[in-house]
Amino acid sequence: MARLSGDDILAHCLGKPGAWQDEPWEGDVVAKVGDKIFAFLGGGEGVGLKCGANRDEADELVDTYPGDVSKMAYIGRSGWNTVRLGGSVPDDEILELIDTSYETIVAKLPKSRRPVVDN
């Protein structure tokens, strides 16, 4: 069974309304909406995502998948985790985590800078 690759993750991220690819640090690809990052893609072995409003909420995922989800350096205290690809976290759950991270970041944007979503 083929698992999600870094390219698959990037494609999923860029499929979101208003999403765009940036490289704010050399060799470190991120997905943004507006001017805010919603996914850190790095080298394609994992993805950094907003997984909770705070560290306690994000730790629930770390506790569920201790070998494959970890607190992100520097911004982990704000609810960001790194999720390893190809590990015990199911691919569909990784995609849901990306969707939730995106939605969380969009909700924090001023209404005038939120992407228009066709229904």
Side-chain angles (χ1 to χ4, degrees):
M1 177 176 97
R3 298 291 307 263
L4 287 173
S5 68
D7 289 340
D8 296 330
I9 296 296
L10 178 59
H12 184 77
C13 290
L14 297 181
K16 301 279 175 208
W20 59 285
Q21 180 178 335
D22 195 12
E23 192 174 325
W25 308 279
E26 187 175 339
D28 200 3
V29 174
V30 300
K32 290 183 171 182
V33 60
D35 61 347
K36 302 290 184 188
I37 297 171
F38 70 93
F40 291 85
L41 302 159
E45 295 175 8
V47 59
L49 300 166
K50 179 80 169 154
C51 293
N54 55 47
R55 189 68 247 154
D56 289 337
E57 286 181 18
D59 279 342
E60 292 177 21
L61 198 62
V62 174
D63 293 344
T64 303
Y65 302 105
D68 293 311
V69 178
S70 59
K71 175 181 166 183
M72 278 187 73
Y74 309 112
I75 60 172
R77 68 184 176 282
S78 301
W80 288 82
N81 288 337
T82 300
V83 180
R84 187 172 71 86
L85 302 181
S88 60
V89 183
D91 287 351
D92 60 339
E93 187 167 352
I94 293 172
L95 296 176
E96 287 177 22
L97 290 168
I98 292 168
D99 295 347
T100 300
S101 183
Y102 169 83
E103 291 162 5
T104 300
I105 299 305
V106 166
K108 292 182 178 188
L109 292 172
K111 288 186 180 183
S112 64
R113 294 200 349 244
R114 292 181 189 168
V116 176
V117 179
D118 295 329
N119 288 332

